[in-house]
Amino acid sequence: MRSAILLAFVALYGCATAPGYRSSSVRPPQAFRETTGDPQPATTSPEGPHPLAPAPVGRGGTKDEPPVSSDYWDQLRDTTLSRLVGEVLRGNLDVRSARARVSAARSDRVRSVLDLTPSATLAVGYSRQRLSSASFPGSFGAFPDQNVWDAGVNTSWDLDVFGGIRHTVQARGALADVAQEDLRDVQVSLTAEVARAYFELRGAQEQLLVAQRNAENQRRTFDLTKERLDAGRGSAFDTERAQAQLSSTLASIPAREAQVAAAQYRIGTLVGRSPTEVARELEQTAALPQLPEVTSIGTPDAVVRYRPDVAAAERFAAAQGALVGAAKASYLPRLSIGGTAGYAAPEFSSVGNQGTLRYAVGPVITWPGLNLGRVKAEVDAAEAREEAARAQYSRVVLSAMEDMETSLARYRAGRLQVERLQDASAASERAAELARMRFREGVTDFLQVLDAERTQLEAQDRLAQGRIDAATAYAALYKATGGR
């Protein structure tokens, strides 16, 4: 009989064994295609030779503040942008909320750690009671009413022989890491967002200047046609066409001004200050910064592991694995030591006197032998949640690699597009000047002037938009690398 019981507990212990760590089934490529030109497609396998290792926790920052590098923005040599990035990390309301969640998760872990230590509570009470005489054989009649004053300490200590509490502590620790990575994710996302808004502001200011400069050129052209008309050498048709083109350009200016204001207000909200106050600070026009060429950003494995969304997904999967171990520990007996000590007396003034001392201490073993079906259901649910977390982790890894390649491709294309648009803008400006000069000399008709000025406006506006696109692609690349 004892052998059978021993074998049963050995079998239960095997069922209660916690699962080992399992990394993502996604294998990252050896290098990014968009930086080397050598495509290395990612594949999935149950056990690849180069699985994505768990993300390191605590990357050199303080305990309360995960590190978010500013070098990425400092190399642009734009002091206003660097200042705004710092303000976002300090004052954004979403960042403050994420910090509070980190503190809460860490407190939950501390509470779980304290479950490994003895607990004690103080209790003081009063009751009035009457004992039943039937409970005492040989007694007759009714017992008198009694006052009971009681004061003491109740203690308990779960010895955690089979690691249920320890697995819970591991899970809480992993969830605290998730909260910390979520904080870093918020910081990285908002940093990229404020940079994007800043680039859109500078780009909208440039587009506004383009419209104003072209309107001034078109105004001079309109004045020229009017002078020729007044001198009898021009036509009303040319004057009206010049007026129409000038009015069309002037009509685009209010929309550009609204874009500038919207970007200013957006930045104010992101940095956690009054939008109108920030708008006044950003009224001074400035050019978009020169963007650097990206030749190498590190190995895909290192870049992907550093991303906060990947790190958070890995830590969450680890937490679910630890909770599986905690659930499996319920298959086995639970050993705890309980105790109580204090005083009980019929009068309050007698509490603490000789003869009023009471105490009880001893071990308690509990085992859900008749509830193993419920335990199995809890274990099955925990394992299913772990499997879902593992699948989510692999999905996040794949999405991260897609995001990286896409961001690199868009940034490379954006820089190349700006180079081409610069050539087109310069050529259209020279063509417009030549058309105006030829028209003044009577060599060509006014239609070529209108066409050249319209082409110049379009080319310069497209160049400004191309610079915005390239700059926002740079911000997206920062987010894709996880703020490296």
Side-chain angles (χ1 to χ4, degrees):
M1 181 66 180
R2 286 181 295 179
S3 299
I5 295 175
L6 180 61
L7 289 175
F9 276 109
V10 169
L12 287 173
Y13 182 77
C15 294
T17 302
Y21 179 84
R22 289 184 294 162
S23 61
S24 170
S25 60
V26 177
R27 298 188 332 184
Q30 298 298 318
F32 289 113
R33 175 184 179 185
E34 294 298 329
T35 56
T36 64
D38 182 18
Q40 295 285 341
T43 59
T44 59
S45 62
E47 293 184 13
H50 300 290
L52 194 69
V57 178
R59 299 175 176 83
T62 64
K63 179 180 179 182
D64 297 323
E65 193 67 33
V68 176
S69 174
S70 62
D71 295 343
Y72 196 90
W73 309 111
D74 291 342
Q75 63 180 318
L76 298 182
R77 304 180 187 277
D78 191 315
T79 56
T80 302
L81 175 59
S82 298
R83 175 177 60 82
L84 293 174
V85 167
E87 288 191 43
V88 164
L89 298 178
R90 291 188 303 269
N92 184 271
L93 299 179
D94 289 334
V95 172
R96 295 181 187 177
S97 177
R99 281 200 193 99
R101 289 193 293 271
V102 171
S103 298
R106 287 173 177 168
S107 297
D108 287 339
R109 182 185 181 279
V110 171
R111 184 184 59 188
S112 297
V113 170
L114 293 177
D115 289 339
L116 292 169
T117 63
S119 64
T121 57
L122 298 175
V124 178
Y126 162 79
S127 64
R128 186 171 178 80
Q129 67 180 17
R130 174 186 292 181
L131 299 178
S132 171
S133 60
S135 302
F136 300 90
S139 300
F140 300 96
F143 285 177
D145 293 344
Q146 294 178 313
N147 293 324
V148 179
W149 293 87
D150 188 90
V153 178
N154 300 319
T155 63
S156 64
W157 185 14
D158 191 331
L159 298 181
D160 194 33
V161 176
F162 298 106
I165 298 177
R166 291 193 297 274
H167 284 304
T168 301
V169 171
Q170 292 175 1
R172 291 294 182 184
L175 291 175
D177 294 336
V178 171
Q180 180 170 316
E181 293 300 336
D182 286 343
L183 168 59
R184 194 164 64 90
D185 192 23
V186 170
Q187 291 176 318
V188 169
S189 298
L190 290 173
T191 299
E193 180 64 22
V194 77
R196 179 186 180 90
Y198 179 77
F199 294 146
E200 289 176 347
L201 166 64
R202 295 311 187 197
Q205 289 176 335
E206 182 178 345
Q207 289 177 314
L208 176 60
L209 290 176
V210 166
Q212 291 172 340
R213 285 197 302 265
N214 279 271
E216 185 61 30
N217 290 335
Q218 292 168 7
R219 190 184 303 277
R220 287 196 295 267
T221 301
F222 168 72
D223 292 340
L224 176 61
T225 60
K226 194 172 181 182
E227 290 173 3
R228 289 171 62 89
L229 178 62
D230 293 341
R233 295 184 294 110
S235 67
F237 183 54
D238 290 343
T239 303
E240 293 301 327
R241 285 191 298 180
Q243 176 67 67
Q245 180 156 283
L246 172 60
S247 298
S248 178
T249 302
L250 291 173
S252 68
I253 290 178
R256 297 303 186 192
E257 291 173 339
Q259 289 178 336
V260 170
Q264 291 170 337
Y265 298 146
R266 177 59 181 156
I267 292 172
T269 301
L270 288 171
V271 300
R273 293 197 287 131
S274 169
T276 54
E277 175 187 348
V278 175
R280 284 193 295 269
E281 295 176 4
L282 298 175
E283 285 180 350
Q284 185 66 35
T285 301
L288 280 163
Q290 293 294 323
L291 301 176
E293 181 180 0
V294 176
T295 57
S296 176
I297 57 174
T299 64
D301 178 76
V303 173
V304 171
R305 279 193 297 113
Y306 190 83
R307 281 176 55 118
D309 57 342
V310 173
E314 185 276 326
R315 290 286 82 205
F316 184 74
Q320 295 303 315
L323 290 176
V324 171
K328 287 185 173 182
S330 299
Y331 277 123
L332 300 171
R334 185 173 180 176
L335 175 62
S336 60
I337 297 176
T340 180
Y343 297 93
E347 301 292 339
F348 180 76
S349 60
S350 301
V351 174
N353 292 344
Q354 186 177 6
T356 63
L357 176 66
R358 61 168 179 81
Y359 74 88
V361 63
V364 177
I365 299 178
T366 59
W367 179 54
L370 300 179
N371 294 315
L372 292 181
R374 291 185 177 89
V375 174
K376 184 179 184 303
E378 292 176 359
V379 171
D380 290 344
E383 289 178 338
R385 286 190 289 268
E386 183 201 16
E387 186 62 29
R390 294 293 172 191
Q392 177 70 6
Y393 175 34
S394 296
R395 187 199 66 79
V396 172
V397 170
L398 283 174
S399 297
M401 290 189 287
E402 175 193 0
D403 191 19
M404 277 301 310
E405 294 286 12
T406 302
S407 298
L408 286 167
R410 287 177 176 170
Y411 181 61
R412 175 188 292 178
R415 293 184 76 252
L416 182 60
Q417 182 184 39
V418 168
E419 294 178 5
R420 301 292 185 266
L421 290 174
Q422 285 174 337
D423 295 339
S425 176
S428 65
E429 185 175 357
R430 291 191 298 269
E433 184 59 34
L434 287 173
R436 284 189 290 267
M437 183 179 65
R438 289 166 63 85
F439 175 70
R440 283 193 297 268
E441 295 175 355
V443 178
T444 185
D445 60 13
F446 187 63
L447 181 60
Q448 293 188 12
V449 176
L450 290 176
D451 183 65
E453 289 184 342
R454 182 171 57 252
T455 301
Q456 178 185 8
L457 174 60
E458 292 176 353
Q460 291 179 345
D461 189 75
R462 287 184 61 194
L463 173 59
Q465 185 60 51
R467 285 175 175 154
I468 296 175
D469 295 341
T472 55
Y474 184 77
L477 183 59
Y478 169 82
K479 183 178 179 180
T481 60
R484 287 175 66 91

